[in-house]
């Protein structure tokens, strides 16, 4: 009976872990880019992922997003915007500025060179 109880407890703990893994991270960090003098500037810190994961830009305002490299791993050394044809080597450029088109609303996804880490820019 005790063994059964332990198995059930272990199973419950595992299910809890799985739920936490999928739903605990559900709330992504997000931020609105700063607006000044008819331009907007955003910053994404690259350190074990992208912070914020979602950056909001205002539609129709010229935008520049700076990727600040604080990570040493090869995994995050490149940031790739496949829809914009941009591939920056952050190991060479610690502060990489990327012009983001804001003429139309929508989501612009980006990822590390291997497609393991993902971030998003939302124009709205
Ligand atoms: Cu990677």
């Amino acid at each position: 009976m005790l063994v059964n109880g332990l198995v059930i407890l272990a199973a419950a703990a595992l299910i809890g872990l799985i739920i936490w893994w999928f739903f605990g991270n559900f709330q992504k960090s997000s931020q609105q880019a700063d607006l000044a003098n008819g331009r907007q500037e955003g910053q994404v810190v690259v350190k074990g992922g992208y912070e914020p994961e979602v950056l909001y830009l205002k539609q129709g305002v010229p935008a520049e997003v700076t990727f600040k490299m604080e990570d040493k791993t090869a995994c995050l050394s490149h940031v790739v915007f496949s829809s914009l044809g941009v591939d920056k080597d952050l190991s060479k450029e610690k502060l990489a500025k990327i012009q983001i088109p804001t003429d139309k609303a929508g989501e612009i996804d980006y990822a590390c060179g291997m497609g393991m880490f993902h971030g998003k820019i939302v124009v709205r």
Side-chain angles (χ1 to χ4, degrees):
M1 277 316 271
L2 182 63
V3 173
N4 271 348
L6 285 177
V7 168
I8 289 166
L9 208 66
L14 191 65
I15 289 166
L17 193 71
I18 291 167
I19 290 170
W20 171 79
W21 182 260
F22 280 99
F23 298 101
N25 292 337
F26 191 74
Q27 196 144 17
K28 290 180 189 250
S29 61
S30 64
Q31 204 175 307
Q32 180 81 40
D34 295 329
L35 196 64
N37 305 322
R39 295 185 50 79
Q40 55 189 333
E41 285 179 11
Q43 181 173 267
V44 175
V45 175
V46 182
K47 193 177 186 184
Y50 300 110
E51 177 62 36
E53 274 180 270
V54 182
L55 181 69
Y56 291 106
L57 297 177
K58 211 169 154 56
Q59 189 181 354
V61 180
E64 186 177 76
V65 176
T66 302
F67 280 76
K68 189 168 184 229
M69 186 55 163
E70 291 186 359
D71 199 280
K72 298 272 191 295
T73 61
C75 179
L76 285 155
S77 63
H78 281 248
V79 61
V80 180
F81 284 76
S82 51
S83 64
L84 303 180
V86 171
D87 181 345
K88 290 269 188 191
D89 186 346
L90 300 175
S91 64
K92 296 197 178 104
E93 243 177 309
K94 300 288 179 201
L95 285 172
K97 292 181 187 298
I98 299 175
Q99 311 298 321
I100 306 293
T102 58
D103 47 317
K104 56 177 192 282
E107 296 189 350
I108 300 166
D109 294 306
Y110 60 87
C112 71
M114 303 154 209
M116 281 138 61
F117 288 96
H118 296 266
K120 193 191 286 186
I121 290 174
V122 179
V123 179
R124 60 180 183 182

